[in-house]
Amino acid sequence: MKKIALPALALAMAPFFSAPAAAWEGHVVECFDKVYVAPEYKYTKHLVKHAKTMLEHRGKGKHMQVVRVHYPAIYEETRTLVRAGHYVMKPAKCKH
C-alpha cells in the first residue's frame, strides 16, 4: 500500500508546485507609484513671559540717556504628532 500511495501523492501535488511559474504569464493591468506623505503635526503655543515696555538708563557720563525699550512676549511652542509619515500608492502610467 505504501508503494502505491507515495507516487500517487507526488502526482496529486505536482500542480501545486508548478503553479507559481504559470503566475508570471499574466499581463499588467494597472501600475502605481509609491509616494511618501510627510507626517502632520499640530502646533500650540504657551505664553512664558508677557510683553513689557520699560524705561532704562543707557550710556555713561554725559552721554547717558533714559530710553523706553519694548520687550516682546515670549512663547513656548509644542509640537504634537497628528498623523505619522506613510506611503500612498498613486495610480501612474506604466513604465514597462
Side-chain angles (χ1 to χ4, degrees), residues 56-66:
E56 295 181 355
H57 297 278
R58 293 197 177 170
K60 290 186 179 179
K62 66 182 200 177
H63 299 291
M64 186 179 346
Q65 284 187 322
V66 176

Side-chain angles (χ1 to χ4, degrees), residues 7-84:
L9 180 64
L11 286 172
M13 295 299 290
F16 295 110
F17 292 114
S18 64
W24 292 106
E25 295 175 11
H27 63 280
V28 176
V29 177
E30 194 172 5
C31 297
F32 297 92
D33 283 339
K34 186 176 170 183
V35 179
Y36 181 72
V37 178
E40 291 182 28
Y41 293 96
K42 176 184 168 190
Y43 294 93
T44 56
K45 61 182 184 178
H46 304 282
L47 182 66
V48 174
K49 197 172 189 180
H50 290 282
K52 63 182 176 179
T53 303
M54 298 178 61
L55 294 175
E56 295 181 355
H57 297 278
R58 293 197 177 170
K60 290 186 179 179
K62 66 182 200 177
H63 299 291
M64 186 179 346
Q65 284 187 322
V66 176
V67 293
R68 186 182 313 267
V69 181
H70 176 75
Y71 295 99
I74 298 173
Y75 290 91
E76 179 182 23
E77 185 177 78
T78 56
R79 181 172 80 166
T80 307
L81 182 66
V82 174
R83 184 178 309 157

